[in-house]
Coordinates of all heavy atoms in Angstrom, one line a residue:
M21 N 12.8 -41.5 160.8 CA 13.2 -42.9 160.7 C 14.4 -43.1 161.5 O 14.5 -44.2 162.2 CB 13.3 -43.2 159.2 CG 12.2 -43.2 158.4 SD 12.4 -43.4 156.6 CE 13.2 -45.0 156.6
E22 N 15.3 -42.2 161.4 CA 16.6 -42.4 162.2 C 16.3 -42.4 163.8 O 17.0 -43.1 164.5 CB 17.6 -41.3 161.9 CG 18.1 -41.3 160.5 CD 19.0 -40.2 160.1 OE1 19.0 -39.1 160.8 OE2 19.8 -40.3 159.2
C23 N 15.4 -41.5 164.2 CA 15.0 -41.5 165.6 C 14.5 -42.9 166.0 O 14.8 -43.5 167.1 CB 14.0 -40.4 165.9 SG 14.6 -38.8 165.8
A24 N 13.7 -43.5 165.3 CA 13.1 -44.8 165.6 C 14.2 -45.9 165.6 O 14.1 -46.8 166.5 CB 12.0 -45.2 164.4
V25 N 15.2 -45.8 164.7 CA 16.3 -46.7 164.7 C 17.1 -46.6 166.0 O 17.5 -47.5 166.6 CB 17.2 -46.6 163.5 CG1 18.4 -47.4 163.6 CG2 16.5 -46.9 162.2
V26 N 17.3 -45.3 166.4 CA 18.1 -45.1 167.7 C 17.4 -45.7 168.8 O 18.0 -46.3 169.7 CB 18.4 -43.6 167.8 CG1 18.9 -43.3 169.2 CG2 19.3 -43.0 166.8
V27 N 16.0 -45.5 168.9 CA 15.3 -46.1 170.0 C 15.4 -47.7 170.0 O 15.6 -48.3 171.1 CB 13.8 -45.7 170.0 CG1 12.9 -46.5 170.9 CG2 13.7 -44.2 170.2
A28 N 15.3 -48.2 168.8 CA 15.4 -49.6 168.7 C 16.8 -50.1 169.1 O 17.0 -51.2 169.8 CB 15.2 -50.1 167.2
M29 N 17.9 -49.3 168.8 CA 19.2 -49.7 169.3 C 19.3 -49.7 170.8 O 20.0 -50.6 171.5 CB 20.2 -48.7 168.7 CG 20.5 -48.9 167.3 SD 21.6 -47.6 166.5 CE 23.1 -47.9 167.4
V30 N 18.7 -48.7 171.4 CA 18.7 -48.6 172.9 C 18.0 -49.9 173.5 O 18.5 -50.5 174.4 CB 18.0 -47.3 173.4 CG1 17.8 -47.3 174.9 CG2 18.8 -46.1 173.0
L31 N 16.8 -50.1 172.9 CA 16.1 -51.3 173.4 C 16.8 -52.6 173.2 O 16.9 -53.6 174.2 CB 14.7 -51.4 172.7 CG 13.7 -50.3 173.0 CD1 12.5 -50.5 172.1 CD2 13.3 -50.3 174.5
A32 N 17.6 -52.7 172.2 CA 18.4 -53.9 171.9 C 19.6 -54.0 172.9 O 19.9 -55.0 173.5 CB 19.0 -53.8 170.5
A33 N 20.2 -52.8 173.2 CA 21.3 -52.8 174.2 C 20.8 -53.2 175.6 O 21.5 -53.9 176.3 CB 21.9 -51.3 174.1
V34 N 19.5 -52.7 176.0 CA 19.1 -53.0 177.2 C 18.7 -54.5 177.3 O 19.0 -55.1 178.4 CB 17.7 -52.2 177.6 CG1 17.1 -52.7 178.8 CG2 18.1 -50.7 177.7
S35 N 18.2 -55.0 176.3 CA 17.9 -56.5 176.2 C 19.2 -57.3 176.4 O 19.1 -58.3 177.1 CB 17.1 -56.8 174.9 OG 15.9 -56.1 174.8
M36 N 20.1 -56.9 175.6 CA 21.4 -57.6 175.7 C 22.0 -57.6 177.1 O 22.5 -58.6 177.6 CB 22.3 -57.0 174.7 CG 23.7 -57.8 174.6 SD 24.8 -57.1 173.2 CE 25.1 -55.5 173.9
A37 N 21.9 -56.4 177.8 CA 22.4 -56.3 179.2 C 21.6 -57.1 180.1 O 22.1 -57.5 181.1 CB 22.4 -54.8 179.6
R38 N 20.4 -57.5 179.8 CA 19.6 -58.3 180.6 C 19.8 -59.8 180.3 O 19.1 -60.7 180.8 CB 18.2 -57.9 180.6 CG 17.9 -56.6 181.2 CD 16.4 -56.2 181.1 NE 16.1 -54.9 181.7 CZ 15.7 -54.9 183.0 NH1 15.7 -56.0 183.8 NH2 15.6 -53.7 183.6
G39 N 20.6 -60.1 179.3 CA 21.0 -61.6 179.0 C 20.3 -62.1 177.8 O 20.5 -63.3 177.5
A40 N 19.5 -61.3 177.1 CA 18.8 -61.7 175.9 C 19.8 -62.0 174.8 O 20.7 -61.2 174.6 CB 17.7 -60.8 175.5
G41 N 19.4 -63.0 173.9 CA 20.1 -63.2 172.7 C 21.4 -64.0 172.8 O 22.1 -64.3 171.7
A42 N 21.7 -64.4 174.0 CA 23.1 -65.2 174.1 C 23.0 -66.4 173.4 O 21.9 -67.2 173.5 CB 23.4 -65.4 175.5
V43 N 24.1 -66.9 172.8 CA 24.1 -68.1 172.1 C 25.3 -69.1 172.8 O 26.3 -68.7 172.9 CB 24.5 -68.0 170.6 CG1 24.6 -69.3 169.9 CG2 23.5 -67.1 169.9
G44 N 24.8 -70.2 173.3 CA 25.8 -71.2 173.8 C 26.3 -70.5 175.2 O 25.6 -69.8 175.9
T45 N 27.5 -70.8 175.6 CA 28.1 -70.4 176.8 C 28.4 -69.0 176.8 O 28.9 -68.5 175.8 CB 29.4 -71.3 177.1 OG1 29.1 -72.6 176.9 CG2 30.0 -71.0 178.4
V46 N 28.0 -68.4 177.9 CA 28.5 -66.9 178.0 C 29.9 -66.7 178.3 O 30.5 -67.5 179.0 CB 27.6 -66.3 179.3 CG1 28.0 -64.9 179.5 CG2 26.2 -66.4 179.1
G47 N 30.5 -65.7 177.7 CA 31.8 -65.4 177.9 C 32.8 -65.9 176.7 O 32.3 -66.4 175.7
A48 N 34.0 -65.4 176.8 CA 35.0 -65.7 175.7 C 35.3 -67.2 175.6 O 35.7 -67.6 174.5 CB 36.2 -64.8 176.1
T49 N 35.4 -67.9 176.7 CA 35.7 -69.4 176.7 C 34.6 -70.1 176.4 O 33.6 -70.2 177.4 CB 36.4 -69.7 177.9 OG1 37.5 -68.9 178.2 CG2 36.8 -71.2 177.9
R50 N 34.4 -70.7 175.2 CA 33.2 -71.4 175.0 C 33.4 -72.9 175.1 O 34.5 -73.4 175.0 CB 32.7 -71.2 173.5 CG 32.3 -69.6 173.5 CD 31.8 -69.3 171.9 NE 30.7 -70.1 171.6 CZ 29.4 -69.8 171.9 NH1 29.1 -68.7 172.6 NH2 28.4 -70.6 171.6
D51 N 32.3 -73.7 175.4 CA 32.4 -75.1 175.7 C 31.6 -76.0 174.6 O 31.2 -77.0 174.9 CB 31.9 -75.4 177.1 CG 32.7 -74.7 178.1 OD1 33.9 -75.1 178.2 OD2 32.2 -73.8 178.7
A52 N 31.5 -75.3 173.4 CA 30.7 -76.0 172.5 C 31.3 -77.3 172.0 O 30.6 -78.3 171.7 CB 30.6 -75.0 171.2
A53 N 32.5 -77.4 172.2 CA 33.2 -78.7 171.8 C 33.2 -79.8 172.9 O 33.6 -80.9 172.6 CB 34.7 -78.4 171.4
V54 N 32.7 -79.3 174.1 CA 32.7 -80.3 175.2 C 31.3 -80.9 175.2 O 30.3 -80.3 175.4 CB 33.0 -79.6 176.5 CG1 33.0 -80.5 177.6 CG2 34.3 -78.9 176.4
P55 N 31.3 -82.3 175.2 CA 29.9 -82.9 175.1 C 29.3 -82.7 176.5 O 29.9 -82.7 177.6 CB 30.2 -84.4 175.0 CG 31.7 -84.6 175.2 CD 32.4 -83.2 175.0
T56 N 28.0 -82.4 176.5 CA 27.3 -82.2 177.7 C 26.6 -83.3 178.1 O 26.2 -84.3 177.3 CB 26.2 -81.0 177.6 OG1 25.4 -81.4 176.4 CG2 26.9 -79.7 177.2
S57 N 26.1 -83.5 179.4 CA 25.4 -84.7 179.9 C 24.0 -84.7 179.3 O 23.4 -83.7 179.3 CB 25.4 -84.6 181.4 OG 26.7 -84.6 181.9
A58 N 23.5 -85.9 179.1 CA 22.1 -85.9 178.7 C 21.2 -85.9 179.8 O 21.5 -86.0 180.9 CB 22.0 -87.3 177.9
G59 N 20.0 -85.7 179.5 CA 18.9 -85.7 180.6 C 18.9 -84.4 181.2 O 18.7 -83.3 180.6
G60 N 19.1 -84.4 182.5 CA 19.2 -83.1 183.2 C 18.2 -83.0 184.2 O 17.9 -81.9 184.8
G61 N 17.4 -84.1 184.6 CA 16.4 -83.9 185.6 C 17.1 -83.8 187.0 O 18.2 -84.2 187.2
A62 N 16.3 -83.4 188.0 CA 16.9 -83.1 189.3 C 17.5 -84.3 190.0 O 18.4 -84.2 190.7 CB 15.8 -82.5 190.2
G63 N 16.9 -85.5 189.6 CA 17.4 -86.6 190.2 C 18.2 -87.5 189.3 O 18.6 -88.7 189.6

């Protein structure tokens, strides 16, 4: 069981390194309090 958990930890670490699981803005300085623009279409 411990071996399976270690494998799962490695997979989680690889996924995190590839950007999975991020919530909101990446990095220490978050912009959650800054209102974002609505819409977002190319034009």
Side-chain angles (χ1 to χ4, degrees):
M21 294 172 62
E22 291 176 342
C23 288
V25 172
V26 170
V27 171
M29 288 175 62
V30 172
L31 293 176
V34 171
S35 298
M36 186 173 66
R38 292 178 176 271
V43 179
T45 303
V46 176
T49 305
R50 296 180 61 82
D51 298 296
V54 180
T56 56
S57 301

